[in-house]
Each structure stands twice: as structure tokens, then as C-alpha cells.
Amino acid sequence: MILPDNPNHDQSQMKAFPFNITREKELASFSRLLDHSGSGILSVYGQPGTGKSELMTHYQKEAHNRGVVFYLVNAQYSKAEPAAFLQLLLDQMGASNVYISPLEAIHMHIQHLEKQGIRFVIAIDSYERFEKLDEWFRQSFLPSLPSSSILIFCGRKQLNASWRASIWYPFITSIELRGFSIGQFDSVFQTLDPELIQLAWQFSSGNPYALSLCVQKLNETQEWNERDEQKIYRTVVKEWLSELEDDQLLPYIEVASIGRYIQQEKLEVMLDQSIPRKDFEALISLSFFEETETGWQLNTLFQRAMRDDLRRRKPFYYHQLWKRALLYCRSFFDHDRIVDSTEISEFFYLLGEPMMRASLFDHETLSTFTMTSASQNDWNEILPYLEENTLISEDLQTSFVDDQTGQTFTYFIPKNHNKQVFMTKEMIESVGIHHVKLLRQRDGIVKGIAFLLPIQSNTLRKLQSSPVTRSYFKRISPAEEKRILSQDTPSGWVIRYLGVKNPKQMEDRKALLYHLLPLVLTEGILVASTPLPFYQDLLEQFRFNEIPEAMHYDYGPDRPSKTYELDLRNARLSHYLETFANALGVNLSETPQHRFQFTAREQEVVSLVIQGYSNAKLAQTLSLSEVTIKKHLSRIYEKTGVKNRTQLTRVMLERK
């Protein structure tokens, strides 16, 4: 069987990888379709550079080996019209007939194949460009094909909900292509220095196309430099932005690259303009955006490439956007607002302390974890962490890389460092199992735990007598002891234990720390004690104060454990944030509010507007009529020289 030529699929446009990493699961899915006599639909999707076109060539070879004809249509070079698609498919078949329509000619050709007992596959690459034809494919084209047909829709996005609600749903198999792990990459490409392989993988975030560019460059130069990074970034950005039909959405994409996630309100504040809903919907429908529980995120590699490119081309504009994003997040700590954990973590990410950013933030994996309180049904998950000498049986060296500066932080974790955890089931039961937080992946599997001990009347004596905590709580003053014993509610927390199931998985450790951050940064006093330099450095980066007199050796005579505290009681959280930012050279305290001479009532209105309150909610909260609220807003707009809520929010968050 001779495969037909594919004139519209330009082989020069395909990404030729200088290494071979097989997609065994994806190839197996296609083989299973070929094994059966019935029809089937493959939805192959993935973000740019994940090797979709490369996979199509493997499918084509597999079909050829099975004696199956494989017709590959590339939508990238066609109009999104039924007639254009049919003509491309007909050209693939080599069965043009000027006396009948393309559809009739296609049906005649297929009937000819059937009579010969020859099966066929119709594959459409870059299908995102044919999305407008979804209904036509479902209602017209697919029903006209024989029952043994195999269709492949290959694009940047999964087939949409209309497909999943159609009669074709039982026949659809979805395959998502993602980046390669360092293990996959390292195992098949060993001609480079291991350090260069690690650099290439970290820089590319495992994206196959970016990896191929890195490897090609490293093979030429055997070194890594900033100039090569910039060239690869430009190539990657150009490839991904080919999805845009015009430049209308480009300013929004630039803004979205500043932080880790976006929402419409956040974009509007940063741009100081309203964004039409249809434009925002078009933005988040792009394949390099992924929806999470807290908003939408750009693909890690693309976000980094766009951000660095913007920072080089427009440094002042970049700084302006960064400042607005930071102050937008900062506003969530004020005005008695419900604490938003996403904004807290985003605030620290934007501040830009390299070690914190490296050890807490991992775009690719954070959205796949959740942190929940344990229940009585979770004891089987908790007990292994309480056993001695079970977590680390070998010395480990762990490294964290800051995705913006490339700076690497390496720490040594000795084996059996948790030989004595000094925690028992009875201790947990005495304070409540809900104080154990479980780190779970989306599939529910527990990957780590955190145990936060409340500082309150029924726990103080245990804290004063138990290893690890006694060195700190024995030294508190009689007045402080009396105050704690007189309260039933916690006056603070002890970060008593952090552990991951597999210490070699740095992603799990990052996720544990990331999800713990919002839990502890609330009003109260925080206490932590650890012998590990990594955790000590991290606590110091978060401006915890070391308590020298609370140093102890409970973990062993050769394991000095430092003890730290962070006092956020009595509304000190705001001051802590200002001090933290100032230490990094960022001034958050200067805002323009003092310029406008607001009345007390106007100040209340402004504070609530910043929090997103509607007129109706403002009226309800302040016990005023909506007419009065509108009058207040009118005077506020006049004083500030703005025209709407978005502009007011931006002005109020802006520094002088």
C-alpha cells in the first residue's frame, strides 16, 4: 500500500526533534482503534510545542504498516469553510472529478476503498482553526461516512462541550499531550553534560518544541547564555501567538504575563480600562490559558517568555503593570476583607524574593493539589508520618530554581532526619484531627501533611512540656501565660510538622509550602522550630524572628534546632507586609488617598468599592439608600477625576 502524497501538510513546518521520546500511551490508543473494525474518534490536543504534528506522523506510519490509508488535512492552510475542507481532503485522496461535487467524489472514493476491503483514517491537524465547522462535522460530514471510519481531530484545544453532549460522545477518546518530565528527557538524551540537560529542561518547562531548540543550541555551543535564551523565547512566542487572528488581544496577554493568574477585574485594574466581556472570553479561550479554581493561568513557558520580552522592550510599562498588580493583591489584606489565599500567595510571588519564589511557586503543578482538613477516616494516611525512621533512608540533595532569575538554591537533607517526630495519635486526638492538613492531588491521593497546633487554653500545658515546643513556651511571661489560659480561641499557631510522602518529589514539597502560606498568614502569633537549614532559611526570608534562647537539641545532640516566631497579633499583619516589602525595596504605604480630602462616609464608600461592592451591597452595608450611594460616588469621582469604579480602584491602589 502506497500512502498518498500530502501536498498541504508542509513537512518543513513540522518540528523535528533532535531526540526521540516516544508517546507510548498515545500510540497505543491509536493502535487499539486500528485493531477494531468499528469507527472511532480521537481528540488529540495540547498546548503549542507539545508535539501534536510529530504524533500525527507516527500515526501515519502506524497506519501505513497496517495497510490503512491515512489522509492528513492541515487546517492551518485553509479557510474554515466546508467547501475548503472537502477540497483539501479530495486533494489528499487524489480523486478529483470535475463533473461532480467534492463531497460526491469523496463518497465515491470511500466506496471504492470499501469494496477493496481497505480501511482509512481522516486526520485534521490544527483543528482549532476549524472550530466554526463543529456543527457541520457533527451533523453533516460524520453521518455520511461508513461505520468503520476513524477520525482524528488534532489541535490546541479539546473538543468542546457540544461534542461531549452529542451522539458521537461514546466514540470519542481524548488524548492530552503535555511536556516531558526530566526523567523522560534525561533517559534518552545523554550526549550533553548533565548540568546542561537540567538547564535545558528547567528553561523549557519540559515543552518538547522548546526542548528541541535548547538541545540544538547546546549541541552547537556546549554552553548556556542569556542571548540564546532570548532567541529561543522569541521563537516560542512567535509560534504560540500564531493562534491570534489579529493583535487585538495582545495587550491583555502582556498584562496576564505579569503574575501567575488573571481575572477580568484584575486585568481591568492593571490596564486602567474596562474590558468587553466578549474580549475576555476570547482571551481565555486561547489554548495557552488554563482555567483553575482561582482564575486563569498562562502556560508556564509562554508566561515567562512573554514577561521577559515585555520587560526588555517596555521596562517602564512593565514596572507600571507590576506595581498595579502588586497593589491590587495588597488591597485584599485590608478593610476587614475575607482573606483570599490566592491574592496572598500572588502578593508574595510578585514581590519577587528569589528563594521564596523558587521554593513555593511551581505553575505546572500547584493547580493539581488541594489542602484539606483531616477527618477520622484519614488515620491510615496520617499514621505513617508518626512512625520513626520511615521517611528518608538516604541523603538527599534538593534544588529549587527561581523561574524569573534562574537562580538555584540547593539544600542537603540528611537521611533519617525525621527519626524522632515526637508526635503521637493521642496528641493529635487531644487537640483535634482537623488541625492536620492533608495535601491531596486531584485524584485524592495524599502526598503530604501539615500539623498546626493551636495556642490556646487546652493546649498550653502540652506545649510547655512536649519536645520541640517546650523550649519556646517555657520562656513566655506569666502575663502571656495567663492571657492564653483565659481564652478558648487560638491566639496563634505552632507549625509543628511538615512532611511529604516522597521527599524526592520537590513538586510535592513546594505544593505543601504554597498551600500552607495562606493558612498561617492570619492574625496571631506563629511559632516554628526546625533543624533543617532549608526551612530555617525560608522562615528567615519570611521575616520570622529567631528566638536564640529557645534553641533546643530535641532532635539529637548534633541537630541544633532554631526556633522562630512571627507576631501578627493586634492588626500587625498590615505593618508586617509593609516592612516585608520595604526590605525588598518596595514601598507600599504611600497611596494617593490623602490628597482627596474624603469625608468619613466617602472614605467608607471608597474602601468598599475597592473590595468590589455593588451599589446595592454598599447601600445594605452602610444602611443608606442607593440614591445616596450614587450621590457619594458622584462626589468621589469628581474629587478624584475618574469616570468609573475601575479607574477609582486603580487610583486608590496606585502609589504616589
Side-chain angles (χ1 to χ4, degrees):
M1 177 67 63
I2 299 176
L3 291 173
D5 292 333
N6 187 6
N8 73 294
H9 189 71
D10 186 354
Q11 296 295 324
S12 67
Q13 295 295 322
M14 295 176 56
K15 309 301 179 296
F17 301 141
F19 48 88
N20 180 30
I21 300 178
T22 58
R23 296 281 193 179
E24 294 180 359
K25 293 182 180 179
E26 294 80 1
L27 290 171
S29 295
F30 181 60
S31 294
R32 284 193 293 270
L33 277 182
L34 297 180
D35 289 339
H36 299 294
S37 58
S39 62
I41 298 173
L42 277 185
S43 171
V44 179
Y45 65 100
Q47 294 180 329
T50 48
K52 299 182 294 296
S53 296
E54 185 80 2
L55 182 62
M56 290 303 101
T57 65
H58 287 290
Y59 283 175
Q60 194 171 30
K61 292 175 183 177
E62 176 71 8
H64 175 76
N65 294 335
R66 300 282 198 100
V68 177
V69 180
F70 194 97
Y71 301 117
L72 181 58
V73 175
N74 196 328
Q76 185 174 356
Y77 308 105
S78 172
K79 295 181 180 179
E81 299 172 355
F85 165 75
L86 292 173
Q87 188 59 54
L88 284 175
L89 179 58
L90 191 58
D91 292 343
Q92 287 285 290
M93 293 176 169
S96 296
N97 189 324
V98 296
Y99 300 105
I100 58 178
S101 70
L103 183 59
E104 291 174 315
I106 289 170
H107 287 162
M108 287 181 60
H109 182 74
I110 290 174
Q111 290 170 5
H112 177 69
L113 293 177
E114 283 190 298
K115 288 179 181 179
Q116 293 185 303
I118 299 173
R119 298 184 69 193
F120 66 91
V121 176
I122 298 175
I124 307 172
D125 201 359
S126 301
Y127 183 72
E128 66 275 359
R129 297 183 179 273
F130 271 178
E131 277 189 322
K132 295 178 182 178
L133 303 184
D134 269 353
E135 186 175 353
W136 177 79
F137 274 109
R138 287 194 302 270
Q139 298 185 8
S140 299
F141 184 68
L142 266 64
S144 71
L145 298 178
S147 59
S148 60
S149 305
I150 295 176
L151 274 293
I152 301 176
F153 296 97
C154 178
R156 294 186 175 187
K157 293 179 282 187
Q158 186 179 15
L159 291 178
N160 61 32
S162 297
W163 282 94
R164 297 190 286 274
S166 72
I167 60 173
W168 305 107
Y169 179 70
F171 304 97
I172 297 175
T173 300
S174 294
I175 298 175
E176 182 181 10
L177 297 187
R178 289 186 171 270
F180 297 131
S181 69
I182 183 62
Q184 287 176 299
F185 180 51
D186 191 28
S187 64
V188 300
F189 196 82
Q190 300 177 352
T191 61
L192 287 173
D193 182 274
E195 291 186 5
L196 292 179
I197 291 177
Q198 182 74 22
L199 280 172
W201 183 80
Q202 289 173 348
F203 175 79
S204 66
S205 298
N207 180 274
Y209 178 42
L211 267 176
S212 70
L213 296 174
C214 293
V215 170
Q216 288 169 354
K217 180 57 62 178
L218 289 172
N219 276 333
E220 295 171 4
T221 63
Q222 293 295 317
E223 64 178 8
W224 191 261
N225 59 62
E226 185 178 351
R227 184 177 60 184
D228 291 337
E229 286 185 4
Q230 293 177 10
K231 290 176 66 175
I232 294 172
Y233 272 153
R234 286 195 295 270
T235 304
V236 167
V237 167
K238 182 179 179 180
E239 171 71 18
W240 288 39
L241 290 181
S242 65
E243 187 174 336
L244 297 181
E245 296 181 358
D246 54 50
D247 292 340
Q248 181 180 352
L249 298 178
L250 192 54
Y252 303 152
I253 298 173
E254 290 180 337
V255 172
S257 73
I258 301 298
R260 296 178 307 112
Y261 86 101
I262 62 161
Q263 291 174 334
Q264 185 170 352
E265 179 191 54
K266 187 176 183 180
L267 283 183
E268 289 178 337
V269 170
M270 292 174 66
L271 282 170
D272 190 21
Q273 67 181 55
S274 297
I275 299 175
R277 183 65 185 175
K278 64 179 182 62
D279 287 352
F280 186 75
E281 293 289 349
L283 177 71
I284 60 177
S285 69
L286 295 170
S287 65
F288 37 83
F289 279 97
E290 180 181 4
E291 186 173 8
T292 69
E293 294 180 357
T294 55
W296 289 266
Q297 287 184 340
L298 278 174
N299 170 276
T300 305
L301 173 65
F302 181 69
Q303 182 257 346
R304 191 167 65 238
M306 282 293 298
R307 181 197 62 217
D308 289 1
D309 177 68
L310 179 64
R311 185 161 49 191
R312 285 193 302 270
R313 289 188 298 106
K314 305 176 183 178
F316 179 78
Y317 180 58
Y318 170 86
H319 182 78
Q320 185 181 50
L321 293 176
W322 168 81
K323 180 174 62 176
R324 291 175 181 173
L326 187 63
L327 290 168
Y328 175 83
C329 297
R330 169 68 179 85
S331 70
F332 280 74
F333 293 89
D334 292 334
H335 316 300
D336 297 323
R337 194 169 183 168
I338 296 176
V339 175
D340 187 304
S341 60
T342 301
E343 300 297 348
I344 291 176
S345 59
E346 181 82 342
F347 175 81
F348 283 100
Y349 177 80
L350 288 168
L351 274 178
E353 201 291 314
M355 180 193 170
M356 288 169 46
R357 197 162 47 203
S359 55
L360 270 72
F361 301 99
D362 185 339
H363 293 214
E364 293 294 313
T365 59
L366 285 178
S367 61
T368 66
F369 291 91
T370 58
M371 181 86 86
T372 58
S373 297
S375 67
Q376 292 296 328
N377 297 326
D378 294 316
W379 277 113
N380 287 338
E381 301 286 358
I382 299 171
L383 290 177
Y385 290 92
L386 309 185
E387 298 173 0
E388 295 184 359
N389 197 18
T390 57
L391 294 185
I392 294 184
S393 58
E394 59 181 307
D395 294 337
L396 290 180
Q397 181 173 292
T398 177
S399 297
F400 300 98
V401 181
D402 175 23
D403 71 341
Q404 291 196 25
T405 65
Q407 188 173 353
T408 300
F409 302 88
T410 302
Y411 294 92
F412 178 76
I413 302 178
K415 64 181 179 181
N416 303 332
H417 81 272
N418 285 314
K419 187 173 182 180
Q420 295 288 338
V421 296
F422 302 113
M423 290 199 310
T424 64
K425 182 178 180 181
E426 291 72 26
M427 176 190 292
I428 294 175
E429 287 179 327
S430 68
V431 297
I433 194 172
H434 60 283
H435 291 305
V436 175
K437 309 299 179 183
L438 300 179
L439 179 73
R440 297 181 186 271
Q441 285 188 316
R442 284 176 179 169
D443 55 11
I445 296 177
V446 174
K447 307 295 286 187
I449 74 168
F451 184 28
L452 305 181
L453 271 168
I455 303 171
Q456 57 191 37
S457 57
N458 66 335
T459 64
L460 181 60
R461 297 309 180 198
K462 294 184 181 68
L463 293 172
Q464 290 177 323
S465 60
S466 299
V468 182
T469 58
R470 59 192 174 193
S471 62
Y472 176 87
F473 285 95
K474 278 187 174 181
R475 54 168 289 280
I476 63 175
S477 67
E480 178 67 9
E481 180 176 321
K482 182 178 180 180
R483 188 187 66 80
I484 294 173
L485 291 173
S486 66
Q487 297 179 350
D488 293 328
T489 57
S491 60
W493 300 88
V494 177
I495 307 173
R496 178 58 185 82
Y497 178 76
L498 302 176
V500 291
K501 184 172 292 186
N502 183 356
K504 294 182 180 180
Q505 292 285 27
M506 293 303 104
E507 300 87 2
D508 297 352
R509 196 178 299 276
K510 282 188 176 185
L512 183 67
L513 294 170
Y514 169 81
H515 285 284
L516 185 65
L517 176 61
L519 296 178
V520 299
L521 282 184
T522 56
E523 289 197 355
I525 190 165
L526 306 174
V527 179
S529 182
T530 175
L532 292 178
F534 165 67
Y535 286 124
Q536 292 173 358
D537 288 352
L538 194 59
L539 289 168
E540 289 171 9
Q541 291 296 339
F542 272 103
R543 305 303 187 268
F544 276 66
N545 297 313
E546 182 185 353
I547 310 300
E549 56 269 34
M551 169 84 76
H552 64 84
Y553 292 84
D554 290 338
Y555 289 110
D558 58 342
R559 310 278 312 279
S561 296
K562 295 182 179 181
T563 299
Y564 299 85
E565 71 173 9
L566 178 63
D567 192 351
L568 301 179
R569 293 172 296 180
N570 303 320
R572 291 177 180 150
L573 177 59
S574 180
H575 177 70
Y576 163 71
L577 295 174
E578 308 292 348
T579 304
F580 190 101
N582 288 338
L584 296 174
V586 181
N587 190 337
L588 296 174
S589 61
E590 295 182 358
T591 69
Q593 297 188 30
H594 64 279
R595 301 201 306 256
F596 301 119
Q597 299 181 358
F598 293 135
T599 65
R601 179 63 80 184
E602 287 170 352
Q603 182 63 64
E604 288 181 309
V605 171
V606 169
S607 296
L608 295 176
V609 166
I610 292 174
Q611 298 177 57
Y613 279 46
S614 65
N615 283 0
K617 193 172 182 181
L618 282 168
Q620 180 183 8
T621 302
L622 300 177
S623 300
L624 300 172
S625 68
E626 287 195 49
V627 173
T628 302
I629 291 296
K630 290 179 180 179
K631 289 180 179 179
H632 282 307
L633 284 173
S634 179
R635 287 193 293 269
I636 290 168
Y637 292 163
E638 183 178 354
K639 288 182 178 182
T640 55
V642 302
K643 296 180 179 180
N644 53 47
R645 290 167 173 266
T646 298
Q647 292 181 3
L648 177 64
T649 301
R650 195 270 301 168
V651 169
M652 290 299 103
L653 297 180
E654 194 69 91
R655 288 181 292 166
K656 283 194 295 186

